Amino acid sequence: MKILITGTSSGIGRATALEFLSNGHKVTGVDKERSSIEHTCYTHICRDIWRDELPDITGVEVLINNAGQQTETMDDIDVNLKGLIRCTEKYGIHEGIRAIVNVASVSGHTGAEFPAYAASKGGVLAFTKNTANKVAKHGATCNSVSPGGVLTESNRHIIENPKLWEAVMKECLLPKWAEPGEIAQWIYFLAVVNRSMTGQDVVIDNGEMAKYNFVW
């Protein structure tokens, strides 16, 4: 199948591109940064999904909206939500689409982290349901994943700080964070294996949202 993934230069997006490539699919990546992926079935396009004109890419069967940022500014809403909407409207709403998967965040459920970031990811959750209704007539699904902590370069300041790492581990039922490749496998399942679930979100957070302290 022809796969389009945004934000493939690193982290979850890069891992997702490699997951699809390893399963024999053709992947186009769109990212404002260059990619280190070298594969005969991979094409990389350097574009900012919010600020730049989106490239013309036809025949997209699976769209993975992964590109995002966490800058503590209102720009997070532009990229994480408005940019995602732009990509969906250009590449995802058409007769040949099979599946759309949006990368949201646990913050979209809890409201935690920076205000604009949390709001942008909450908007992704709502937009996922909206899109599921639009693509259903094409026999397509639209779902989202909400990762908690993930072992990516952008989180290195937490991972390598013993005090911060200890603090975040206390917030998880399973005292660990996910590898990018694990999130990629969930995305692949929702896009390729799944044919019946749509308009839903999968939380992958090592029990961060489920944890509670019972006081009697």
Side-chain angles (χ1 to χ4, degrees):
M1 288 192 293
K2 188 172 183 179
I3 318 298
L4 175 59
I5 306 172
T6 65
T8 52
S9 66
S10 62
I12 293 172
R14 184 178 188 278
T16 302
L18 293 174
E19 180 70 21
F20 277 92
L21 289 168
S22 70
N23 283 279
H25 300 282
K26 294 183 178 180
V27 177
T28 298
V30 177
D31 195 302
K32 65 180 182 179
E33 305 292 342
R34 296 186 180 277
S35 173
S36 62
I37 297 175
E38 295 184 1
H39 194 286
T40 55
C41 292
Y42 180 75
T43 302
H44 191 76
I45 301 173
C46 284
R47 298 286 175 87
D48 185 310
I49 64 166
W50 172 242
R51 295 174 178 84
D52 297 336
E53 182 178 352
L54 294 176
D56 290 328
I57 305 171
T58 60
V60 174
E61 295 170 88
V62 172
L63 171 63
I64 311 298
N65 284 309
N66 166 75
Q69 64 180 31
Q70 190 178 33
T71 63
E72 304 181 45
T73 71
M74 295 300 288
D75 289 347
D76 290 352
I77 293 176
D78 289 338
V79 176
N80 300 346
L81 181 57
K82 294 180 181 179
L84 182 148
I85 292 173
R86 286 185 79 205
C87 289
T88 301
E89 291 179 343
K90 185 171 181 68
Y91 306 119
I93 313 296
H94 63 86
E95 188 174 347
I97 194 69
R98 175 187 171 94
I100 301 171
V101 182
N102 299 323
V103 178
S105 170
V106 167
S107 297
H109 292 272
T110 65
E113 298 187 65
F114 312 113
Y117 179 79
S120 71
K121 294 301 186 177
V124 171
L125 296 175
F127 185 68
T128 296
K129 294 184 181 297
N130 180 278
T131 305
N133 277 271
K134 290 181 178 178
V135 299
K137 63 183 179 182
H138 303 307
T141 63
C142 179
N143 295 289
S144 61
V145 296
S146 284
V150 182
L151 297 171
T152 61
E153 186 66 28
S154 62
N155 287 323
R156 185 172 293 279
H157 66 290
I158 297 175
I159 298 167
E160 294 184 346
N161 185 312
K163 289 185 178 180
L164 289 178
W165 185 249
E166 181 181 6
V168 297
M169 288 300 98
K170 289 180 179 179
E171 299 301 315
C172 301
L173 285 177
L174 302 176
K176 65 183 184 67
W177 275 3
E179 294 280 354
E182 181 182 356
I183 309 302
Q185 290 174 337
W186 276 102
I187 292 171
Y188 185 88
F189 177 85
L190 290 175
V192 177
V193 180
N194 165 59
R195 299 308 306 142
S196 298
M197 186 175 81
T198 194
Q200 302 301 314
D201 181 66
V202 177
V203 175
I204 313 157
D205 69 345
N206 284 293
E208 180 182 341
M209 282 179 57
K211 186 173 182 179
Y212 62 85
N213 293 309
F214 179 65
V215 180
W216 187 255

